[in-house]
């Protein structure tokens, strides 16, 4: 009569166990494929491929393969092919487990002909940089377990603590410019304009203090905005295209424009809010309807219905810092980098 250990040894090395485990893995992978098509890769990884039960099936298959090799010991030359095949299966299973739990999964978006050296990783981490060069990075798992209001995340080596005030699994973020409330804030002029032609109507913002938003091009016409405090634009030169409409906020608070045309007369004058400025380009008119002297970005984060695919979700968490320094609350969305101010 066989002992319990012999029975267990025979069961672990049996072909029946191999067939059952491989059939279970096949069914799991088939279901995971349909699940991934509906919910996305990240959801399929978490629910199936990186789950404890899927890892257990892979480990059980590895034990079955290994034990079937051990049962044939001592080996001879006739077993060489058998040993190599089973060793290859074990390496594949080991690599699969390591890739699922220890590998990196990232994205790099490239257009044709482009090159890049940065990969965006999908890991959930919270990175904080503090004054004085102090920094900390801690892993979070908001997808798996939403943080409760008041949850505290200690930042090792900084003496600061992140306090979670609210978490939303998917949000819609809207940003708009408005007049800042701080009268002592530096001048940050911005104007909103609308250009109209018989074919289209388009609007935009120009910000005099921001080099990235100081100019805007619409076809062959360049629009720009400057203010009197900018010493480098004492005389606004026409753009290289020859067609341009430059706005300038003077020290007395008045707004003026200067129009330069490559094939037509130039003009200048005072800007009247809501009154169109006639141009010689394609029957185009330009209307300035808002002028902000201390423009500030207003950010609104609202809860939105969950999309089916996890990749399309934009989670957000409202946090504040306690310790050194203490800050006001701020919303952070996935992949967002924002300053927290006191």
């Amino acid at each position: 009569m066989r002992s319990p250990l012999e029975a267990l040894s025979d069961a672990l090395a049996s072909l029946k166990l191999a067939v059952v485990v491989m059939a279970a893995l096949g069914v799991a992978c088939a279901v995971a494929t349909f699940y991934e098509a509906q919910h996305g890769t990240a959801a399929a990884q978490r629910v199936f491929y990186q789950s404890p039960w899927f890892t257990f099936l892979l480990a059980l298959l590895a034990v079955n393969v290994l034990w079937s090799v051990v049962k044939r010991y001592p080996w001879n030359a006739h077993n060489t092919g058998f040993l190599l095949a089973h060793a290859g299966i074990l390496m594949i299973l080991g690599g699969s487990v390591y890739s699922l739990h220890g590998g990196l999964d990232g994205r790099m978006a490239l257009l044709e002909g482009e090159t890049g050296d940065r990969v965006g990783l999908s890991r959930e981490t919270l990175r904080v940089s503090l004054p004085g060069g102090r920094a900390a990075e801690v892993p979070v798992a908001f997808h798996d377990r939403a943080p409760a209001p008041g949850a505290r995340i200690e930042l090792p080596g900084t003496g600061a603590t992140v306090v979670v005030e609210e978490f939303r699994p998917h949000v819609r973020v809207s940003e708009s410019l408005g007049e800042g409330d701080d009268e002592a804030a530096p001048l940050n002029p911005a104007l909103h304009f609308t250009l109209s032609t018989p074919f289209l109507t388009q609007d935009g913002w120009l910000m005099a203090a921001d080099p990235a938003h100081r100019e805007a091009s619409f076809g062959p016409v360049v629009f720009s905005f400057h203010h009197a405090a900018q010493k480098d634009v004492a005389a606004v030169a026409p753009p290289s295209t020859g067609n341009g409409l430059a706005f300038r906020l003077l020290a007395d608070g008045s707004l003026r424009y200067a129009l330069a045309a490559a094939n037509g007369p130039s003009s200048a004058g005072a800007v009247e809010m809501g009154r169109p400025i006639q141009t010689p380009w394609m029957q185009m008119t330009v209307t300035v309807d808002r002028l902000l002297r201390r423009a500030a970005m207003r950010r609104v984060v609202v809860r939105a219905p969950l999309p089916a695919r996890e990749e399309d979700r934009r989670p957000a968490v409202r946090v504040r810092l306690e310790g050194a320094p203490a800050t006001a609350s701020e919303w952070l969305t996935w992949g967002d980098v924002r300053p927290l101010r006191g």
Side-chain angles (χ1 to χ4, degrees):
M1 183 176 178
R2 295 185 304 165
S3 66
L5 287 178
E6 289 176 333
L8 177 62
S9 176
D10 291 341
L12 289 176
S14 69
L15 181 61
K16 291 181 180 180
L17 178 63
V19 171
V20 170
V21 174
M22 286 191 290
L25 285 171
V27 171
C29 290
V31 175
T33 300
F34 290 102
Y35 187 88
E36 182 176 357
Q38 184 175 3
H39 298 281
T41 302
Q45 290 275 5
R46 188 175 65 256
V47 175
F48 289 91
Y49 303 121
Q50 295 178 345
S51 65
W53 61 266
F54 193 86
T55 303
F56 172 77
L57 290 177
L58 292 177
L60 187 58
L61 181 59
V63 170
N64 175 261
V65 172
L66 176 63
W67 209 246
S68 66
V69 173
V70 172
K71 289 279 287 185
R72 293 203 178 192
Y73 184 82
W75 309 300
N76 51 44
H78 180 71
N79 300 127
T80 302
F82 169 83
L83 293 173
L84 290 176
H86 283 65
I89 295 173
L90 288 173
M91 291 181 65
I92 293 173
L93 291 173
S96 298
V97 173
Y98 178 79
S99 176
L100 290 173
H101 296 278
L104 296 177
D105 187 10
R107 296 181 179 182
M108 177 184 290
L110 295 174
L111 297 176
E112 184 177 355
E114 286 187 338
T115 60
D117 58 1
R118 292 182 178 271
V119 176
L121 301 180
S122 59
R123 296 180 301 172
E124 286 184 300
T125 60
L126 184 64
R127 291 191 290 178
V128 179
S129 297
L130 300 174
R134 294 176 299 162
E137 181 174 353
V138 293
V140 295
F142 291 166
H143 272 113
D144 295 333
R145 185 175 61 257
R152 303 172 66 84
I153 303 174
E154 302 292 336
L155 301 178
T158 66
T161 302
V162 175
V163 179
V164 177
E165 296 186 340
E166 187 178 355
F167 173 77
R168 294 176 180 175
H170 182 60
V171 298
R172 183 174 64 252
V173 180
S174 59
E175 295 183 334
S176 61
L177 284 173
E179 192 69 63
D181 299 327
D182 187 2
E183 292 294 333
L187 196 66
N188 185 30
L191 64 80
H192 181 264
F193 68 97
T194 301
L195 63 87
S196 300
T197 72
F199 313 103
L200 62 86
T201 299
Q202 191 164 351
D203 67 328
W205 282 94
L206 295 174
M207 303 181 68
D210 185 353
H213 298 90
R214 187 181 298 170
E215 292 186 352
S217 298
F218 294 91
V221 186
V222 177
F223 299 88
S224 62
F225 182 33
H226 312 273
H227 64 90
Q230 293 173 283
K231 298 180 181 179
D232 58 329
V233 290
V236 179
S240 58
T241 62
N243 298 317
L245 181 59
F247 299 98
R248 189 172 184 189
L249 181 63
L250 303 183
D252 60 5
S254 60
L255 182 66
R256 298 189 64 83
Y257 74 90
L259 186 151
N263 299 309
S266 300
S267 62
V271 176
E272 297 182 32
M273 293 295 159
R275 183 174 181 178
I277 300 172
Q278 300 294 330
T279 75
W281 309 300
M282 303 173 291
Q283 304 178 47
M284 177 191 298
T285 62
V286 180
T287 305
V288 177
D289 54 16
R290 291 189 68 188
L291 175 63
L292 307 175
R293 287 170 171 75
R294 288 177 173 81
M297 185 65 70
R298 304 187 186 280
R299 189 166 181 259
V300 179
V301 178
V302 297
R303 187 186 297 272
L306 278 176
R309 293 179 59 85
E310 192 167 295
E311 282 86 347
D312 298 330
R313 298 179 186 178
R314 188 179 187 181
V317 59
R318 188 173 66 191
V319 299
R320 59 183 170 85
L321 276 179
E322 283 187 356
T327 70
S329 302
E330 179 65 69
W331 280 104
L332 299 177
T333 61
W334 176 265
D336 203 4
V337 178
R338 298 192 64 81
L340 302 181
R341 308 185 186 280

